[in-house]
Amino acid sequence: MPQSSSAEIYDVVIIGSGAGGGTVAHVLTAKGLRCAVLEAGPMIDPRRDFKEHKWPYDYPHRGAGPGAESYFGGGGSSGQGFTFNANFGGNELDGEPYTLADGTQFLWWRSRVVGGRTLHYARNSYRYADYDFKPYDRDGLSPNWPISYEDLAPYYDKTERLTGVAGSSAGIRSAPDGIFLEPAPPKVHELLLQKACAKLSIPCIPNRLAIITKPFNGRPACHYCGQCARGCGTASNYDSLQIQIIPALRSGRLKLFDMAMAREVVTNGQGRVTGVIYIDKRTRQEKLVRGRAVAVAGGACETARLLLNSKSSEFPNGLANGSGMVGRNLTNTVDFSVSGYLPCLEGMPRYNTDGYAQGHVYIPWWLWERHDKLDFPRGYHIEVFGGFGMPGIGSFTSYGAQQGFGKRLKEAVRREYGCTIRLAGRGEAIPNDNSYVEIDPHVVDRWGIPTLRFHYKWSDYEWKQARHMERTFIQIIEQMGGRVLPRRTGGPDASGIVLIPGSVQHEVGAVRMGDDKRMSVVNGFCQAHEVKNLFLCDGAVFVSNADKNPTPTINALAWRASDYLAEEMRKGNI
């Protein structure tokens, strides 16, 4: 029998503290509700633990050698102690395995920190377009959402007014305008890109980023250190820790349980949840926190895992899984890149091009009206990388291989550094029956919780989309007067061009919303069809994975669900 963490019965128990969980905590505590947040990682101090102003020489051997992945902020095992980035997690975590079905490749990033992935994500903030909510009406390949752009637009507004988004209005249907602060000016390579795109009739506009360019809601403007993935101690960029969780804690209406690994959502046998059993990772004790309602926001796959593991006589196939749809319809972003070398930038005087860590411009999908001319459905946007970023371990490895060492190496670095551009496509994948998660019947984590087994396959739609990306990127780079740099293999049909699913941490679906209870898990307010006081408030509820990064849509959906939940509580329905 798990210990009770306290005698208190909270209004809402929230699982997860990232974009979804942070938004739920922010909205509900502001409405006067008493909430508890369970987070599988530790609470941190941004001023102490963020590393945006650290340098390689602050670390032994400049971060090279064993543990060098800490310098890059990628990988790692324990998920703790990253020295140079704000990544507290990884694809491999000690004692927290996941498995892959035969023929499957998938990288599952688990964040283990209060604030989740919002501490290190790129902060691209793109609204879904009106047609993104009605994909079936366009091509019949996946269901329509049960909500429309008009339903969610007021919550995009609320999100942008809270987080702050720099950008500009462009009047492009695929990239709906929002409430924007002034964008950052383009860098030199981005100006060249814009000129080339104009000649090709491709839009290239100021990027939309949850990074503020002027004082906003008591936060100072970004000072362009360019180290956004290392955490922002001034809170000039959005993360749920500083913008939502900490203010909610200060309200006195939020209790945080960190290092709390959720194991099971418990029910009363009458179709209602009553609380959450979790493992206290510090003591390894099993504990119970009780609530009038539960909001799950652990990330799409973690949310599916929790529901599948929450079995009872009432829900023998997993909580709220009468439809059998929990775990199904998993999608991730199609990722494909091409790099080019721009000789016209050789010898350019050095200047600080840090700005935001992300590009100051981007290319929204421009062919949404011409799909009858394409051999693939849906679309992609293009992100832009380049400039004189701060060098890191491995920055000049290719120079050593080509030039050797000494004078020739130094000359090549001085001549060529900052002359490259990388175009990265972020494309929509179509849900398919071969992409889903299930509980592995033979594997548990160190806490005794059964883990996930992944099944994932790209379809021909995604491969054709990648081929279009490749042709387009080459055309743009050559229009800039550049030459395409060698790639790992000869084309997107070969392994290694389209990155392994999960490489871009945009997994969504797995517990999708819908009006048809036979084909979905939650309704348009993220409320479980079968359990009226259970809400799912992360990317798990997405019906489709548009060519937009999912975070602002997670924020908006969670805000809308929270308003609905609070009103249902006020009415006495929950």
Side-chain angles (χ1 to χ4, degrees), residues 8-10 13 265-277 288-294 531 533:
E8 183 167 1
I9 299 177
Y10 295 93
V13 177
V265 179
V266 294
T267 58
N268 62 2
Q270 299 174 0
R272 294 290 185 270
V273 296
T274 57
V276 179
I277 296 173
L288 170 67
V289 60
R290 297 180 293 170
R292 294 168 55 200
V294 172
V531 187
N533 63 341

Side-chain angles (χ1 to χ4, degrees), residues 5 57 111 203 207 247 254 270 283 293 299 305 310 344 359 364 379 446 462 495 497 545 551:
S5 294
Y57 55 69
S111 190
N207 206 353
L254 179 66
Q270 299 174 0
T283 65
R305 177 192 181 197
S310 298
C344 64
R446 67 167 51 171
E462 286 77 58
S495 175
I497 281 290
N545 185 359
T551 300

Side-chain angles (χ1 to χ4, degrees), residues 340-342 345-347 350 387-388 391-392 394-421 483 485:
Y341 182 78
L342 306 176
L345 297 183
E346 289 182 4
R350 300 295 187 263
F388 298 119
S395 290
F396 307 111
T397 301
S398 61
Y399 290 92
Q402 297 166 10
Q403 306 291 344
F405 296 91
K407 182 179 179 180
R408 288 182 59 192
L409 171 64
K410 293 178 182 178
E411 289 176 344
V413 169
R414 292 188 179 114
R415 180 179 63 252
E416 299 177 10
Y417 187 61
C419 294
T420 57
I421 187 170
R483 66 174 184 268
L485 294 174

Side-chain angles (χ1 to χ4, degrees), residues 203-336:
C204 183
I205 66 175
N207 206 353
R208 283 103 181 249
L209 292 154
I211 303 173
I212 59 176
T213 52
K214 68 177 184 179
F216 186 80
N217 291 344
R219 298 149 52 198
C222 172
H223 54 279
Y224 293 168
C225 75
Q227 315 306 319
C228 302
R230 295 174 184 161
C232 183
T234 60
S236 301
N237 56 29
Y238 165 67
D239 68 61
S240 68
L241 170 65
Q242 297 183 92
I243 309 306
Q244 294 166 319
I245 295 294
I246 289 177
L249 288 169
R250 288 174 179 159
S251 75
R253 291 184 288 273
L254 179 66
K255 172 68 174 178
L256 174 66
F257 296 88
D258 69 342
M259 301 296 284
M261 188 73 185
R263 193 201 78 189
E264 179 184 350
V265 179
V266 294
T267 58
N268 62 2
Q270 299 174 0
R272 294 290 185 270
V273 296
T274 57
V276 179
I277 296 173
Y278 70 93
I279 308 299
D280 185 326
K281 295 168 78 170
R282 294 185 175 93
T283 65
R284 301 185 69 89
Q285 290 180 316
E286 191 177 82
K287 297 183 178 181
L288 170 67
V289 60
R290 297 180 293 170
R292 294 168 55 200
V294 172
V296 184
C301 298
E302 199 74 73
T303 290
R305 177 192 181 197
L306 180 63
L307 296 184
L308 291 171
N309 279 324
S310 298
K311 295 182 178 182
S312 64
S313 58
E314 189 176 11
F315 299 102
N317 297 319
L319 183 60
N321 193 29
S323 65
M325 287 290 109
V326 174
R328 310 298 302 188
N329 308 300
L330 177 66
T331 60
N332 199 273
T333 295
V334 182
D335 181 296
F336 178 85

Side-chain angles (χ1 to χ4, degrees), residues 2 84 115-116 144 306 327 376 494:
F84 219 65
N144 289 336
L306 180 63
F376 64 94

Side-chain angles (χ1 to χ4, degrees), residues 29-192:
T29 56
K31 292 178 178 292
L33 276 66
R34 287 279 303 170
C35 299
V37 164
L38 305 184
E39 167 55 53
M43 181 64 170
I44 63 170
D45 181 343
R47 299 287 180 171
R48 179 193 66 214
D49 298 314
F50 286 169
K51 310 300 183 184
E52 73 268 35
H53 293 143
K54 293 292 185 179
W55 292 85
Y57 55 69
D58 290 321
Y59 300 96
H61 304 291
R62 305 298 193 266
E69 70 277 358
S70 297
Y71 179 89
F72 292 106
S77 55
S78 69
Q80 306 301 320
F82 281 94
T83 58
F84 219 65
N85 264 26
N87 297 345
F88 293 79
N91 297 314
E92 297 181 9
L93 300 177
D94 284 344
E96 296 190 42
Y98 62 94
T99 63
L100 303 174
D102 290 344
T104 288
Q105 289 183 304
F106 199 92
L107 296 174
W108 183 25
W109 179 279
R110 277 76 46 82
S111 190
R112 295 291 183 257
V113 66
V114 177
R117 301 181 195 182
T118 66
L119 300 190
H120 71 264
Y121 84 118
R123 296 177 179 85
N124 296 296
S125 295
Y126 313 135
R127 296 183 179 206
Y128 271 35
D130 60 334
Y131 61 77
D132 289 324
F133 292 94
K134 305 299 177 186
Y136 187 84
D137 292 349
R138 301 187 71 213
D139 52 41
L141 293 175
S142 58
N144 289 336
W145 293 55
I147 62 174
S148 67
Y149 176 80
E150 288 71 25
D151 292 323
L152 206 56
Y155 294 95
Y156 281 131
D157 289 351
K158 291 174 184 285
T159 295
E160 290 164 357
R161 290 191 179 105
L162 174 69
T163 64
V165 175
S168 68
S169 296
I172 298 173
R173 185 179 177 188
S174 65
D177 295 329
I179 300 170
F180 297 133
L181 303 174
E182 182 179 349
K187 307 172 190 181
V188 169
H189 65 282
E190 295 169 339
L191 289 170
L192 295 174

